[in-house]
Amino acid sequence: MIVTHENPILREHAKSVTNYGSDELKQIVDRMFKVMREKDGVGLAAPQIGESLRIFVYGFEYSPRYPDAPAVPVMAAINPEILWRSDETTNYEEGCLSVPFKRGLITRSSSVKFSYHDIEGNKYEKTVHGFEARIVQHEVDHLNGFLISDRAKELRDSRIA
Ligand code: ZN
């Protein structure tokens, strides 16, 4: 089940995860991957399944929602933090599973560096570019209560959910 934009949970500043290594955390992450795959999403943030927690997952081989997007490696990021955003930006038309049947042109940094933890609590840093960088910025927005309607000048109707 996907939470949609009229639900106030999507406007909250999601809470930090503290229970690294727990079954509860593993179950939430598993559920996020399952929902993302069922909905053909390229990424998903925990508030979108009704959990106000700082977790996102992303990655796909091929996405019918973004048929021109290159494959992105699958991963889960817990308590992510963007450490650096490039000044160089790109424009691209984004959708969101929580804002169904809408797309909007959004300007985002072309590259970002971020830190995150895995389920066990190990910390990593990763620099990503292009579509992957866009996903990271979109998902971090979800953790801070922002939606594509806040980032795009306007949203147009789309046949794709
Ligand atoms: Zn979204």
Side-chain angles (χ1 to χ4, degrees):
M1 237 274 294
I2 291 266
V3 168
T4 51
H5 56 95
E6 52 290 314
N7 189 315
I9 197 171
L10 291 178
R11 293 310 195 167
E12 290 175 14
H13 185 90
K15 290 182 281 296
S16 295
V17 170
T18 54
N19 57 347
Y20 289 117
S22 68
D23 286 346
E24 191 190 1
L25 179 58
K26 285 173 192 162
Q27 282 162 16
I28 289 170
V29 172
D30 283 351
R31 190 147 55 90
M32 289 172 67
F33 276 121
K34 186 165 172 278
V35 171
M36 179 175 78
R37 290 189 179 116
E38 278 171 6
K39 302 288 181 185
D40 287 322
V42 296
L44 190 78
Q48 294 182 276
I49 60 159
E51 301 282 356
S52 186
L53 291 168
R54 304 190 78 76
I55 309 170
F56 62 71
V57 298
Y58 68 72
F60 59 93
E61 275 291 319
Y62 167 80
S63 171
R65 289 172 54 76
Y66 300 95
D68 58 337
V72 169
V74 173
M75 65 169 277
I78 297 166
N79 293 334
E81 262 184 83
I82 293 186
L83 305 173
W84 171 81
R85 295 172 193 260
S86 65
D87 292 334
E88 190 195 339
T89 58
T90 54
N91 297 313
Y92 190 85
E93 209 171 50
E94 276 177 39
C96 178
L97 294 173
S98 294
V99 189
F101 299 105
K102 296 284 180 188
R103 290 276 163 120
L105 192 65
I106 299 181
T107 304
R108 297 201 190 265
S109 291
S110 309
S111 304
V112 296
K113 181 180 182 182
F114 69 108
S115 65
Y116 65 98
H117 298 255
D118 66 14
I119 287 178
E120 302 303 329
N122 303 303
K123 192 175 183 182
Y124 303 90
E125 286 183 2
K126 192 172 185 189
T127 302
V128 292
H129 311 280
F131 197 70
E132 187 171 359
R134 181 167 293 275
I135 295 173
V136 169
Q137 291 168 84
H138 178 118
E139 302 310 334
V140 168
D141 268 358
H142 274 303
L143 305 185
N144 294 329
F146 294 101
L147 295 171
I148 56 170
S149 44
D150 305 311
R151 298 292 184 221
K153 283 198 186 75
E154 57 183 355
L155 297 181
R156 69 165 178 88
D157 292 334
S158 166
R159 284 184 298 123
I160 303 168

